Structures are given as C-alpha cells and as structure tokens.
Amino acid sequence: MMDARTAQDSGPKRAPRIAYLTGNFPEVSLTFILREIEALRDLGADVRTCAIRQTPVEQHPGPSEKQAAATTFYVLRAARNPLRLLACQARLFHAPGRYFGALRLAFATRAPGAAGLMRQMVYFLEATVLARHLERERVDCIHNHFIAGSATVSMLTSEMTGIPFSFTLHGPADLFEPVKWALREKTKRASFVSTISHFARSQIMFHSDPSDWSKIKIIHCGINPSAYSPRTAPRDDDETRLLFVGRLAPVKGIDMLLEALGTLVHELPNLRLTIVGDGPERKRLEVVAAPLGKHVSFVGYKSQAEVAELMHATDIFVLPSFAEGVPVVLMEAMASEVPVIATTVAGVGELVEDGVHGHLVHPGDAAPLAEKIAALATDPATRQRMGKAGRAKVAVAFNIHTEADRLLKLFAKVAEH
C-alpha cells in the first residue's frame, strides 16, 4: 500500500482546471477551503469555485471572501430560472446513457424513505445544472469538500459528464451518517479521497472496501505561517488574555470554558476571555456569561486579518470542543506562538502534543480545563516555550503551500488520464 502522504508525479503541461464545490461558499467557518483554493492558484492551478447555495453578506467579512462570493457559480441561483433548468435536461436527448446512468446512481444511493428519495431527486436536478456549467467551463476534475449533499451532486455530475471527481473528508460531521451519505460508494467512484488526518483516514478505511484504500491520501488543512507573527514586546497592561475562535454551537463546548473561567476569576482577576464568532448559541451563551462581566467579551465574526491580530495579542488559546477534525484555528494560534489548550478528540493529538505545544484535556469536564488555564496563566516562561514549539510544528507539518502542492499533483495526475 502506498504511503498515505505520498503525492503523485507531476501531471500535464497545462495546469489542471479544477471545479471546487461545497454546499455553502464562502463561509467564515470554511476559511480553510478558501485558503486552499488561493494556495492552489498561487501554484498555477485554474480553480473555478461553485456552491449549491449563496451565503449572506455577514459571511464575507474580508476582501478574500467578498471576491469569492462575486466569482462563485451558485447552482440553486441558476436553477431558479425554469428555462435554464429545462435546458439542462437536454442531455436526456443528446446523451441519454449518461443521463439515465446518473439517475440510476441517484436512486441506488438514496437514503431510505420517501424523504430520502425526494432529496436525491433534488440532488440529481442540481447535478444537471452543474454538469452543463462545468462542461462549458471545460474543467478537468471536480473536487468537493465534505461528503454530504454537495458530494452527492459531485458524484452524479461526474456520472453525467465523465469528469472525474474527488473529495476531502474532514470529520466529525462527515462520519456521523456514512451510510446515509453513501460514503463507501463515493470512495469507490472517486479518483482519490483526501483526508485531513490519520484519524480521518482510518475512519474512511473502516467504511470502504480495502481495494480502495490506496486512493485515500492525507492532505492536511494548512496555514501560511508568514501571515501570523508572535508578539515581540510586552503589552502595557497586566491582563492575561484568553481567546476562543469558532462557531457558537453546542459542539464547541463553550459552556465548559465559561464554567472553568467562573472558577478562576476570583483568584486570577486579570483573566480576560474574548470569544470570536457567531452562531445559534450566541444569545444563550451571552446570558450564561453575564455573571462574569468584564471577564468575557463576545465580538462576533472577524476577518482572517482581524483574527491574526487577535492571535498576536493573546496569551492562551482555548478550544474546548466535543468533536473536531484537525482545527485550523489551533494552527493559527500555534503559528502566532500562542500556547493552546484543546480537547483529546479525533485528530487534535496529531497537531498538539500535550506538554509541548500546550495542553490536552478530556472533553466535557471544566475542572481540568480550569487547572490548565491557571497553570499557563501563571507561567509566562512555559507559555513562551510552548509557543515557539507550536510555531515550529505548523511551519513544517501544516504549511498550506506544501499541502497544496501535494494536492495539485494529485489533480494533475487525474487530469492527465
């Protein structure tokens, strides 16, 4: 079996033209996809972004997101034109074999029940719209992030057009319903599968045929270390600043962080927590945090540049999640020479070594979280040592330029054939 991180040889002379698809794009929580696309373009790839749905303007806080929103092809927006949708069914007459082949595949990979069938027929119609667009764009391959609905659309589009498709599996949500989303069949039909960690690779191996294991590659999400700089001079205050960045949803375990902070502020009154992000839990969390007063600030969405500035000014980054893949936000903190406290879930341990780059604690327990926050808050020398080790780790193992180069070689090999 090939090594999981071995990339293929360089492909065709012309850089491949790649369609990138996901359900919603651009989106603040999907910055890693935008970063990957930009890195591929820097390497010469011609990447055309597509998404099923448009995202609201609050999801476009920075210039990169605004540019992506302006240049992305949106499937549902195109499908709202009845004449255009009807024209996309012309394949029924010009290439009936491919049209009905995709329809059979949609039926074969549906989830049980009437709702599953209806959902699959919607994906089929979306695929007819995307197929027409991609053929006009003359793309060489389709790549999808995540394995749910948009990956189904990618698979059906590939069946209609003959354009090979691949996908990136992240987790944890990707792995919640592998049967519903036909993970085994998608892995079988994909030209390759990218996973972000050894953990994710092992899970897709569990849900796929051993004959397909050699096509499962590890391509990390990554960052540009030069975009993050460590603080070189002390601040002019005596605060110890904690930072959380992420979607305000139950899976992020923010209640644990607020509970831990509540046990510490009497003995460590200089602790200040900034919570960056938004989501369905924000109002409730603001109520929970109200007794902590000035010790907690909710600042909403921030652009990539603004997050980098906050990283630059913080002392400890905390991510108390109940489930994660390999969080890019931890990479950003480590690149800023900020020690991190995270939970022992999924692939986090492949990024953070306990006691070296920060601390790992069990999820769902505020007591050890508080203990590790207190330990780092009162030990600047250890924070500095861990911060330097963290930056060195991500610069080598989670550099977006290196990872994009591995990915581009895979696309080039697919396009060549």
Side-chain angles (χ1 to χ4, degrees):
M1 186 184 302
M2 295 178 62
D3 183 87
R5 291 183 59 80
T6 299
Q8 305 294 334
D9 295 334
S10 297
K13 294 180 181 179
R14 177 180 67 81
R17 182 171 295 172
I18 310 153
Y20 254 61
L21 180 70
T22 192
N24 306 293
F25 185 81
E27 194 170 272
V28 173
S29 61
L30 303 181
T31 299
F32 54 88
I33 300 178
L34 181 56
R35 190 176 288 144
E36 182 175 280
I37 290 168
E38 291 173 339
L40 287 168
R41 286 171 173 163
D42 288 344
L43 292 170
D46 183 355
V47 182
R48 310 294 175 97
T49 56
C50 305
I52 305 300
R53 292 169 295 276
Q54 293 175 273
T55 50
V57 293
E58 58 264 28
Q59 293 289 338
H60 317 149
S64 295
E65 292 86 356
K66 288 179 174 63
Q67 175 66 16
T71 56
T72 295
F73 173 78
Y74 292 105
V75 174
L76 287 180
R77 183 171 67 184
R80 290 193 188 102
N81 183 328
L83 293 178
R84 187 170 188 174
L85 182 60
L86 186 62
C88 292
Q89 309 314 307
R91 189 179 305 276
L92 170 63
F93 305 103
H94 298 302
R98 287 197 174 279
Y99 186 92
F100 285 109
L103 188 58
R104 284 193 298 270
L105 179 59
F107 186 79
T109 55
R110 73 193 188 283
L117 178 60
M118 290 299 296
R119 186 187 304 114
Q120 206 75 343
M121 292 305 99
V122 170
Y123 295 151
F124 174 79
L125 289 175
E126 291 172 350
T128 65
V129 175
L130 183 63
R132 191 176 193 218
H133 173 72
L134 297 188
E135 287 182 327
R136 288 180 170 180
E137 294 289 306
R138 301 179 66 83
V139 304
D140 298 304
C141 41
I142 308 165
H143 189 71
N144 196 95
H145 272 268
F146 307 108
I147 70 157
S150 63
T152 301
V153 174
S154 291
M155 179 177 67
L156 298 178
T157 301
S158 177
E159 185 71 10
M160 284 184 197
T161 61
I163 301 170
F165 89 101
S166 53
F167 64 91
T168 294
L169 182 141
H170 291 265
D174 280 348
L175 299 166
F176 287 164
E177 298 179 292
V179 176
K180 174 182 176 180
W181 297 116
L183 178 56
R184 188 181 186 90
E185 186 68 20
K186 286 171 180 170
T187 304
K188 176 183 176 180
R189 291 175 175 270
S191 54
F192 70 87
V193 177
S194 168
T195 66
I196 64 168
S197 65
H198 288 278
F199 174 81
R201 185 172 187 264
S202 72
Q203 297 307 293
I204 198 170
M205 289 170 74
F206 175 72
H207 291 291
S208 61
D209 190 279
S211 63
D212 294 321
W213 289 355
S214 63
K215 68 171 71 174
I216 306 171
K217 313 294 181 182
I218 297 174
I219 305 289
H220 289 140
C221 293
I223 63 165
N224 178 4
S226 64
Y228 301 89
S229 58
R231 188 170 65 247
T232 55
R235 293 193 309 269
D236 58 359
D237 59 53
D238 61 353
E239 294 178 350
T240 301
R241 298 184 185 178
L242 312 179
L243 182 64
F244 167 91
V245 179
R247 188 164 183 265
L248 305 191
V251 71
K252 294 298 182 178
I254 304 168
D255 287 270
M256 297 297 101
L257 177 54
L258 295 175
E259 183 181 339
L261 189 64
T263 66
L264 294 173
V265 292
H266 296 296
E267 59 181 282
L268 297 171
N270 294 329
L271 287 178
R272 299 290 185 272
L273 168 64
T274 299
I275 296 178
V276 177
D278 213 327
E281 289 280 281
R282 179 168 178 172
K283 289 184 178 179
R284 187 189 67 80
L285 289 169
E286 287 177 334
V287 172
V288 173
L292 293 169
K294 65 181 182 179
H295 295 284
V296 182
S297 299
F298 290 81
V299 298
Y301 288 129
K302 295 295 179 181
S303 68
Q304 294 183 56
E306 289 170 326
V307 169
E309 284 297 317
L310 287 166
M311 294 287 187
H312 183 79
T314 201
D315 298 299
I316 305 166
F317 186 87
V318 189
L319 191 68
S321 303
F322 301 146
E324 286 286 353
V326 181
V328 172
V329 71
L330 288 179
M331 302 174 201
E332 295 171 346
M334 291 165 69
S336 305
E337 292 193 4
V338 175
V340 300
I341 301 174
T343 47
T344 54
V345 293
V348 171
E350 297 178 36
L351 171 63
V352 180
E353 185 177 347
D354 186 35
V356 177
H357 311 116
H359 292 296
L360 295 177
V361 298
H362 294 302
D365 191 345
L369 186 62
E371 178 187 337
K372 297 304 182 184
I373 290 172
L376 287 181
T378 55
D379 192 347
T382 295
R383 294 203 305 266
Q384 184 178 44
R385 171 178 59 79
M386 289 179 167
K388 290 184 180 299
R391 183 173 174 85
K393 172 71 175 285
V394 297
V396 173
F398 294 88
N399 189 310
I400 189 59
H401 303 296
T402 304
E403 301 306 308
D405 183 64
R406 290 192 178 103
L407 189 56
L408 182 56
K409 287 175 180 175
L410 293 171
F411 287 135
K413 190 69 173 179
V414 171
E416 183 179 19
H417 292 288

